[in-house]
Amino acid sequence: MPRYEYRCRACGTTFELSRPMAESSAPASCPDGHDDTVKLLSTVAVTGASSSAASSARPPSGGGGGGGCCGGGCCG
């Protein structure tokens, strides 16, 4: 079940709740009983290869193919 982070506007407490995605926007009371809370945006940590390892895995530039930010064209 996903965890969502909330902050109480009344006391400043930050807390987490586990709830179904369908209830992610439902009101949440803080642990101190205040109802004026907001759901915070969560940051996602992505782990993987370092940038030097990722750059060595890239194909050489100047080759064919496509992709890129301009659908295969040169962005300049």
Side-chain angles (χ1 to χ4, degrees):
M1 190 171 318
R3 294 183 63 82
Y4 297 96
E5 191 173 22
Y6 298 85
R7 175 169 289 138
C8 178
R9 291 181 183 172
C11 66
T13 300
T14 300
F15 60 98
E16 293 182 348
L17 290 177
S18 294
R19 51 174 39 174
M21 290 175 69
E23 296 176 17
S24 67
S25 297
S29 295
C30 87
D32 293 329
H34 304 118
D35 291 327
D36 189 13
T37 61
V38 292
K39 186 171 90 170
L40 302 177
L41 289 175
S42 299
T43 57
V44 177
V46 179
T47 60
S50 68
S51 60
S52 61
S55 63
S56 66
R58 290 187 190 128
S61 61
C69 64
C70 298
C74 178
C75 295

